[in-house]
Amino acid sequence: MENKYFEEIEQLQKQIDELKEKIKEQESQPVKRWRANLGGDYYYVNNNLLTAKDQEKAHNVNNVLYKLGNYFQTEQEARNYRDNILTKQELKDLALELNDGVEIDWENRDQRKYFIIYDNHIKNFIIDFWHDSQYVGQVYCLDQNFLEIAKERIGEDRLIKLIKSGV
């Protein structure tokens, strides 16, 4: 009777060892952005700002869309991407308008460059400024009312969505 249990323990230990090995293999795999298998479907935003579906064929068009970040597993992801790109462009256009033709001079430490951030702890927007440092992908404006005007014209919900998207 005891041998039966020892056999079960050995089998279970073998399964545990196999699972541990699979976990090690999975952990050693680099985390990559999703890409469809050959013949699989993906979504993107076309030049008419509509979401479209295509099939992965490893052609140049597939590769370019993937490299540009315009390549998604779901149609909703593609729609979100489009919406965020449009919102960011509105924010850039607003900053350009408010700057009224004055160039941002990153060498000028006396010129304040305002930018919008969202504090997830207090669940609110904050306007801040730098004199000579830049964040990657941030939109800067010379008008200290940038945040309030952006909330009014673009809307808080769209700004939150943009900021949380990382676009």
Side-chain angles (χ1 to χ4, degrees):
M1 216 39 159
E2 288 181 33
N3 290 340
K4 176 184 171 190
Y5 293 121
F6 285 123
E7 285 177 27
E8 283 185 50
I9 290 171
E10 284 178 15
Q11 287 176 343
L12 290 172
Q13 187 60 51
K14 185 178 177 182
Q15 288 178 335
I16 289 170
D17 292 343
E18 288 172 2
L19 288 172
K20 284 181 179 178
E21 192 59 38
K22 285 182 182 179
I23 290 169
K24 276 184 188 177
E25 287 174 17
Q26 192 174 29
E27 286 174 345
S28 68
Q29 298 287 331
V31 176
K32 289 198 247 179
R33 186 164 36 108
W34 176 85
R35 185 155 185 178
N37 294 323
L38 278 176
D41 291 336
Y42 70 93
Y43 295 86
Y44 67 99
V45 178
N46 69 19
N47 60 350
N48 292 317
L49 295 176
L50 300 172
T51 56
K53 181 165 61 169
D54 202 353
Q55 195 174 67
E56 177 60 60
K57 298 174 187 142
H59 289 161
N60 191 46
V61 171
N62 304 134
N63 294 333
V64 167
L65 288 170
Y66 185 80
K67 285 179 184 179
L68 289 172
N70 186 7
Y71 188 108
F72 305 96
Q73 193 167 6
T74 68
E75 187 173 10
Q76 186 59 51
E77 289 172 322
R79 277 194 212 109
N80 291 342
Y81 173 78
R82 177 200 58 212
D83 295 347
N84 289 328
I85 293 293
L86 290 171
T87 301
K88 185 156 190 177
Q89 189 58 54
E90 280 184 62
L91 195 60
K92 287 178 179 180
D93 290 345
L94 176 60
L96 191 62
E97 175 190 328
L98 294 174
N99 290 348
D100 199 27
V102 176
E103 290 284 325
I104 291 180
D105 180 0
W106 290 102
E107 300 296 319
N108 181 353
R109 290 189 49 80
D110 294 326
Q111 185 186 61
R112 290 182 172 187
K113 292 87 172 167
Y114 294 93
F115 60 96
I116 300 168
I117 55 178
Y118 185 78
D119 186 317
N120 285 290
H121 180 69
I122 64 171
K123 306 281 188 242
N124 207 353
F125 288 100
I126 299 170
I127 185 88
D128 204 350
F129 66 87
W130 285 114
H131 296 284
D132 56 5
S133 299
Q134 294 174 266
Y135 286 116
V136 173
Q138 185 60 266
V139 177
Y140 294 91
C141 183
L142 301 175
D143 190 316
Q144 66 185 7
N145 298 309
F146 185 39
L147 170 59
E148 293 310 314
I149 296 169
K151 287 189 328 188
E152 180 183 305
R153 290 203 198 165
I154 297 171
E156 288 188 48
D157 291 343
R158 289 180 61 210
L159 289 171
I160 290 170
K161 187 177 172 187
L162 171 65
I163 288 171
K164 289 189 174 194
S165 76
V167 172

